[in-house]
Amino acid sequence: MEIKKTGVAGTMESSDIIVRIEPKETEGVELKLESAVMQQYGRQIEKVIRETLEELGVTRAYVDAVDKGALDCTVAARTLAAAYRSAESTDYVWKNGGAK
Amino acid sequence: MLFVPGNNPGMIRDAHIYGSDSIMFDLEDSVAITEKDAARFLVYKALTTLRYGKKELVVRINDLSSGLGVADLEAIVRAQPDVIRLPKTDSAKDVIECEREIERIEREAGIPVGKTGMMAAIESANGVLNAREIAFASKRLIGIALGAEDYVTDLKTTRSPEGIELMFARGMIVNAAKAAGIMALDTVYSDVNNEEGFINEATMIKKMGFDGKSVINPRQIAPLHAVFTPSEKDLMKARAVMDAIAEANARGSGVASLKGKMIDKPVVARAQYLLEMAERAKTMTVEEI
């Protein structure tokens, strides 16, 4: 997936995270993360963002995230929304889940 | 059924702790048009990651004519909630078209065809008049619901505490549902600070035959359950009816009586239903503890 423009998703509300993705000319994902629970969960949040982008095939991007105590599923959802918006794409890929 | 805005991670996370029988994640009216994609990702990720125990999980999609409904289905059918709620259902055709899309996605995803349940919300004068054909439109339908805000707008009136403007719609919907053998679910009561008004309305719709009610605030769950949970006095009567039936059966008699009065079939059916309701209420309480 090619990041074409700035894409943002999420809010500053408690339990949410704002993920901002911007185009980058060189290879690699450069991530800047701010979180109230940085000490405890910073590495985990970063892992979820990086893995989500990797699954989408995003290899060049600046990512700026401000976390307000989001669960992993929220971090992944906001990263996906920001990435698709950045790529100006609606070719979503949904895997089978299993809520039930 | 607790309504949970689909773009609110905190409410999605906590939705299971308030004791509602079912949770409805909303992708429709509570989500701004610019956030539809984000809400869809959030609800999909929550459904496929978080565990909500035995709660019935429902997702309200956008209607198909909005151009968002099929995109919602592509994600949500694959996340496999119990039920997909279709808003603004005006006719059987709306149900059939939605079902066709669900079936296509189930086939593509390798999900057993028919696994996904449906619920149709009726929110217009035309929909109310078509309630019967809507209720019979698909075997997937577990129930039909009244969506009052759009309905009263269509009638060019407003909602009142007594709900006089909803009498016809409620009557039509509850009758159509019962004729089709599915559930009837009442609309939300928006004034969350008026508990007395809420209890009055809940008592009335239960009396009308509704099986449940949508709530927009967790505070409304306990009073609603109090209205719908059978009283000890009613349960004692129901148990006495069932005991009398068992005794008559043991005697080999087809006629049972209680305190000198013959017990006929509808009395037995009501007693059974009441005991089932009490059992379900007990199960929910134990599960929540």
Side-chain angles (χ1 to χ4, degrees):
Chain A
M1 177 182 276
E2 188 198 343
I3 300 301
K4 295 177 182 165
K5 60 167 198 173
T6 301
V8 185
T11 69
M12 290 293 275
E13 282 179 36
S14 172
S15 307
D16 207 343
I17 180 171
I18 286 195
V19 179
R20 179 187 181 90
I21 301 180
E22 286 179 43
K24 184 168 171 276
E25 282 181 12
T26 54
E27 201 62 25
V29 172
E30 201 176 306
L31 175 65
K32 204 175 101 194
L33 172 66
E34 219 180 278
S35 172
V37 288
M38 196 69 183
Q39 203 80 341
Q40 299 94 324
Y41 299 109
R43 285 169 73 174
Q44 176 62 17
I45 297 167
E46 183 171 343
K47 184 171 169 260
V48 174
I49 294 173
R50 286 192 181 278
E51 280 177 2
T52 306
L53 292 175
E54 203 178 303
E55 269 184 45
L56 292 173
V58 174
T59 57
R60 294 170 179 211
Y62 290 108
V63 181
D64 199 344
V66 181
D67 170 60
K68 295 287 172 185
L71 295 178
D72 283 3
C73 61
T74 304
V75 176
R78 296 315 196 192
T79 307
L80 283 165
Y84 274 97
R85 287 173 178 181
S86 297
E88 298 179 301
S89 166
T90 53
D91 296 330
Y92 308 121
V93 179
W94 306 104
K95 291 179 189 160
N96 281 10
K100 288 282 168 156
Chain B
M1 179 179 287
L2 176 65
F3 276 32
V4 177
N7 203 32
N8 187 318
M11 289 182 76
I12 289 175
R13 184 196 61 197
D14 295 339
H16 66 294
I17 67 176
Y18 301 110
S20 65
D21 301 316
S22 68
I23 303 168
M24 191 205 77
F25 301 101
D26 183 31
L27 299 178
E28 201 215 10
D29 285 351
S30 69
V31 179
I33 190 75
T34 51
E35 294 300 316
K36 295 289 186 186
D37 56 338
R40 197 184 296 133
F41 279 121
L42 197 59
V43 171
Y44 170 83
K45 278 288 174 188
L47 284 172
T48 53
T49 314
L50 303 179
R51 286 289 162 260
Y52 290 97
K54 289 180 181 167
K55 301 277 182 216
E56 181 184 50
L57 300 177
V58 182
V59 180
R60 178 164 75 172
I61 60 163
N62 291 280
D63 65 286
L64 267 56
S65 65
S66 69
L68 296 160
V70 175
D72 290 341
L73 287 173
E74 291 285 356
I76 301 306
V77 171
R78 287 177 169 86
Q80 298 176 52
D82 296 295
V83 177
I84 286 174
R85 176 166 164 146
L86 178 65
K88 299 181 175 58
T89 315
D90 289 335
S91 67
K93 193 170 145 268
D94 293 338
V95 177
I96 293 162
E97 280 176 3
C98 184
E99 181 178 36
R100 195 179 300 139
E101 292 296 334
I102 292 173
E103 188 172 327
R104 173 185 61 75
I105 297 163
E106 281 176 340
R107 283 185 200 285
E108 285 174 14
I111 296 166
V113 171
K115 185 173 183 251
T116 317
M118 284 176 73
M119 169 176 270
I122 295 172
E123 307 181 44
S124 67
N126 202 22
V128 167
L129 290 172
N130 291 332
R132 189 179 180 280
E133 65 163 68
I134 290 169
F136 279 92
S138 165
K139 283 186 179 153
R140 289 176 191 259
L141 283 173
I142 61 139
I144 52 175
L146 170 63
E149 298 302 331
D150 282 316
Y151 175 68
V152 294
T153 306
D154 202 19
L155 288 192
K156 296 190 169 49
T157 181
T158 53
R159 290 189 72 178
S160 68
E162 305 77 28
I164 190 75
E165 67 287 348
L166 300 178
M167 293 310 283
F168 178 70
R170 282 180 165 141
M172 282 288 281
I173 286 170
V174 78
N175 272 274
K178 301 298 157 152
I182 59 176
M183 286 189 283
L185 200 68
D186 192 44
T187 188
V188 297
Y189 188 82
S190 317
D191 186 0
V192 290
N193 292 320
N194 183 359
E195 188 169 318
E196 192 189 344
F198 175 74
I199 291 170
N200 288 341
E201 184 167 282
T203 306
M204 179 184 71
I205 60 106
K206 178 179 178 276
K207 194 77 187 158
M208 287 182 81
F210 278 90
D211 299 281
K213 186 169 177 64
S214 299
V215 295
I216 47 166
N217 190 301
R219 266 161 51 199
Q220 295 176 325
I221 295 168
L224 183 62
H225 279 178
V227 169
F228 270 84
T229 304
S231 70
E232 196 47 45
K233 194 177 152 196
D234 290 340
L235 284 174
M236 277 169 67
K237 269 192 213 163
R239 285 190 203 107
V241 167
M242 299 313 290
D243 288 348
I245 293 288
E247 198 188 309
N249 286 342
R251 281 201 319 267
S253 165
V255 183
S257 65
L258 185 66
K259 290 180 183 168
K261 282 186 192 165
M262 200 183 86
I263 303 171
D264 51 14
K265 266 175 95 176
V267 175
V268 180
R270 282 202 297 273
Q272 274 174 331
Y273 177 70
L274 210 70
L275 291 168
E276 271 173 33
M277 286 283 287
E279 201 53 42
R280 264 187 267 165
K282 206 165 74 187
T283 313
M284 290 303 295
T285 312
V286 170
E287 187 199 318
E288 281 146 25
I289 290 166

